[in-house]
Each structure stands twice: as C-alpha cells, then as structure tokens.
Amino acid sequence: MSNFNPVKIVIVGCGMIAEGGYQPRCQAYPHKIELVGYYDQDIDRAELLAGKGGGKVYQSLDEVLNDPNVEAIINLTIHTGHYPVSLAGLKAGKHVYSEKPVALRVEEADEMVETADQMGVKFACAPVAMLGYVQQSVWERIRDDEIGEVVSAMGNFGGPLEYWHPNADLFMMEGVGPFKDVAPYPLTAMTTMIGPVKQVYGLARITIPERMLHAGSRAGNKYRVTEKDHGIGLLEFESGAYGLLYHSWTARSELPAYEIHGTKGCFSIQAHDDGRGIRKSTPTSGWESEDSPKEAYTGLDWGKGPSDFADAIRHDRPVRCSGKHARHVLEICERVFEAADKGVPVEVKSRFPAPIPVGDPPPWS
C-alpha cells in the first residue's frame, strides 16, 4: 500500500450524489484516490465540496481537461451530461469513471468505448454494487456450484420518485426512465453472475403523463413525463437462463430486489447495497437468513468502484466495472423498450469481457 501513488482525480458534477456519496467514500481510500479538484456549472456546489475536502475549484470543464496534473475524472453530471463529458475526457487522454447510465443511447456508448481503446485510457462505469462483499460472496458460491446450474434471475427497483427526490422530473425525461436509471443495479449483477443477454421481450409505457414534485425547493411544480415510467422486461441469456426485470417510477413492488435461481437452490440479496444480509433457499430447508461477510460495508460504498479504477490505472489491468459491460446493460434497457414498441423479441448484440472476481486482498485494501 505504501508504494502505491494515489491517482489524481477531479469530480465533475457536484450535486447530491457527489456530496453524499462519492466524495466521502473516495476520501475513505486516500491511499488509492487523491481528489485534487471539483467542477460544476454551479460554482457554489464545487466550492462546497472543496471546502469539505480541499482541492481546486475549476471554472470550466476545459480547464479540468487541460490540466496536466489531472489523471482522471469522475463524471457525476446529470444523465444527459454523461456522454458529452465522458467523451470529452476520453478524447483529452484522461481516464474516465462515469455514473450510470453510461449514456442515453447505445451509439453514444459505442463511441466512448472505441475512443477509450484508441486513446489507451481506462473507461469505467457504475454501478459499483457488484464489488460489495455480499455480492462477491454469493457470486463465488455460485461459481462453486452451491446452487447448481443457474436457470433464472429477477430484479426489482423503483417507486414513486417525485415524493422524495427534488429533481424527479430529470429522471422521467425522454431517454432516461427507471430502466436506464435503476435497472443497471440488478442487470449488472445478473450479467456478472450469468453472462450476457442475447434477446429480450418488453412491456413498457407511460402510466402517469403529468406529475408534481413533492420535495425540495420546486415542490408543487408540475411536469410532463416523456419516457416510459413503468415496465417489465424478460431476458434470455446466452447461457440459456431466463431473467425478469420489474422497474417503475409508478408502483413500488415487494418483489425481491434481486434473486438468482439454480437447480439446487436460490440466493436473494440486495443488488444496490452491501451488508444487507443473504437469504438462501434449498429444496430441503426453504428460505434461511445468513449474516453478511464481516468485512461488508452497510449500504452502497461509492468509493469501491473508483478505488478499483485507480488500482487498474496504476497496474495497467482491466477495470472491474467496465464501460463495455455498462454498454451491454444500456443496450438491454434500450432493447426492452424497442421490444415493447414493436411487440416482438429483440436481439441484444453487444458483448463484454467477463468481470474479474475481486479476490483477496481486494484492490481497495
């Protein structure tokens, strides 16, 4: 650890997720990450984070990208900013870690993946949850054949967003919706543990065309919903396994957050958080609860992804949360909507390098 030179990183986009998630958790790994600065179109936000952790406040994205002291950026802009900001970073020769979704269109993700390869830089993307100790433990047990052949998985996430999120309208604009925003959590777990999806079926539509914000300074403002806010996706994996996705900004379901089913048993865990325990079912014992691994962080450790990213930069190895994997997840979401519109199954064409298990010691140690 003492021989590791921390990677100099700037956070671009200094809103809620930066202040409450990425900054404090990246600061928990100072031996891997050095947050050297912040940029936001609202300079006050950047100054707030700099005041909490030190570092330079940049006046523009160009200033960030032209600074030779900056090795990498973490892109925490709004959904529509993921593609242009990440692409600009990659073209400038910076390593880029993006919040999900990697982009709003598969063609945009293709361009970024190709640019990263051409420039010889690392391109990583959230979600980071699959690096949790619970998720890694269950994945290892699946590889060890504890539940036999995996035959299916299911994921569920969502609920009426406008009742608690002050900017819920941004999550319901064309190109976003619950599939591209929150489906990446169970989809990343499924495609890590099972492999790529080859075909999807979809049912999705706009259920509440006009909504009203109930939280934040704009509470009471009404807005139009321009993206499908409720849907179900059926997945056919290359392995022959099946998947089910339920994602909605309209109705909160009590379906399991994430289950994976095998011929000898099943696991049920959180796809979003680490440290929430493990439930396992077998034909003879039914469902039983287990404690999380003792090392688990309770919640979502936003810093693990950037720490792995930094370790991959220094050791010139593949990142575990790769842009290519995120592109596949994005394509699944896009194809579910296409299948819903056309009323027929749709092929998923992209593939990705199989993620590397974390192992011991973990890259953030």
Side-chain angles (χ1 to χ4, degrees):
M1 183 166 65
S2 60
N3 295 327
F4 191 95
N5 183 23
V7 175
K8 298 180 186 301
I9 297 178
V10 169
I11 288 180
V12 177
C14 301
M16 290 172 54
I17 194 173
E19 181 183 2
Y22 276 89
Q23 186 192 41
R25 292 313 304 164
C26 285
Q27 289 172 336
Y29 303 104
H31 53 291
K32 295 290 183 180
I33 300 165
E34 182 182 356
L35 294 177
V36 297
Y38 306 89
Y39 169 65
D40 193 285
Q41 290 179 328
D42 182 344
I43 296 300
D44 290 343
R45 290 179 176 176
E47 289 177 343
L48 175 65
L49 296 196
K52 290 184 175 185
K56 179 178 178 178
V57 174
Y58 289 85
Q59 302 301 308
S60 69
L61 180 61
D62 284 344
E63 186 184 4
V64 175
L65 301 183
N66 289 325
D67 186 347
N69 186 53
V70 176
E71 298 177 83
I73 64 169
I74 297 177
N75 181 2
L76 305 181
T77 58
I78 61 174
H79 301 85
T80 53
H82 291 181
Y83 164 65
V85 170
S86 293
L87 182 64
L90 295 168
K91 286 185 172 180
K94 306 298 185 186
H95 306 284
V96 173
Y97 184 101
S98 175
E99 182 49 37
K100 50 78 187 163
V102 65
L104 296 184
R105 296 171 55 247
V106 172
E107 293 80 6
E108 296 171 345
D110 288 341
E111 185 179 2
M112 289 188 289
V113 165
E114 291 166 6
T115 301
D117 287 346
Q118 290 167 1
M119 297 298 296
V121 293
K122 304 299 181 188
F123 181 33
C125 186
V128 64
M130 193 55 220
L131 300 184
Y133 285 95
V134 164
Q135 290 79 2
Q136 288 287 316
S137 171
V138 165
W139 184 27
E140 181 179 17
R141 292 164 69 178
I142 290 170
R143 297 196 307 274
D144 288 343
D145 199 41
E146 191 170 319
I147 62 169
E149 177 192 353
V150 172
V151 294
S152 61
M154 62 189 302
N156 161 46
F157 207 111
L161 194 67
E162 66 270 29
Y163 286 89
W164 65 270
H165 200 296
N167 298 312
D169 51 332
L170 299 181
F171 292 76
M172 302 187 199
M173 60 191 295
E174 186 175 358
V176 189
F179 269 76
K180 290 181 183 176
D181 184 67
V182 290
Y185 289 109
L187 276 176
T188 300
M190 289 181 191
T191 50
T192 297
M193 295 181 183
I194 304 173
V197 170
K198 70 175 185 179
Q199 183 171 256
V200 302
Y201 304 74
L203 294 168
R205 67 183 180 95
I206 294 174
T207 55
I208 306 177
E210 184 177 89
R211 300 189 185 222
M212 185 174 72
L213 295 171
H214 292 263
S217 61
R218 296 188 297 138
N221 286 9
K222 294 183 179 180
Y223 61 93
R224 298 292 299 176
V225 175
T226 55
E227 185 56 277
K228 297 175 178 68
D229 58 10
H230 181 82
I232 295 170
L234 295 176
L235 319 176
E236 186 178 352
F237 290 84
E238 208 166 59
S239 69
Y242 302 136
L244 168 68
L245 287 173
Y246 172 87
H247 284 76
S248 176
W249 292 145
T250 300
R252 179 175 285 107
S253 170
E254 289 193 354
L255 288 168
Y258 179 66
E259 274 188 8
I260 187 163
H261 315 121
T263 54
K264 297 191 294 187
C266 311
F267 285 113
S268 181
I269 60 173
Q270 276 281 347
H272 183 280
D273 287 355
D274 194 8
R276 304 294 185 189
I278 300 168
R279 299 185 70 233
K280 183 186 175 186
S281 172
T282 65
T284 56
S285 301
W287 285 103
E288 295 181 335
S289 296
E290 304 175 9
D291 292 335
S292 301
K294 59 181 176 55
E295 306 93 341
Y297 175 87
T298 303
L300 180 58
D301 187 352
W302 308 90
K304 279 193 173 73
S307 295
D308 179 78
F309 172 62
D311 188 77
I313 290 169
R314 287 290 179 259
H315 293 119
D316 194 23
R317 62 159 176 83
V319 294
R320 288 183 168 85
C321 301
S322 75
K324 291 177 181 177
H325 193 169
R327 173 182 60 180
H328 184 69
V329 166
L330 173 67
E331 187 186 358
I332 294 169
C333 297
E334 206 166 87
R335 301 298 172 243
V336 166
F337 279 8
E338 183 181 345
D341 290 339
K342 294 180 176 179
V344 296
V346 177
E347 180 186 4
V348 177
K349 296 180 179 179
S350 65
R351 296 294 184 267
F352 58 95
I356 306 166
V358 167
D360 189 26
W364 47 83
S365 64

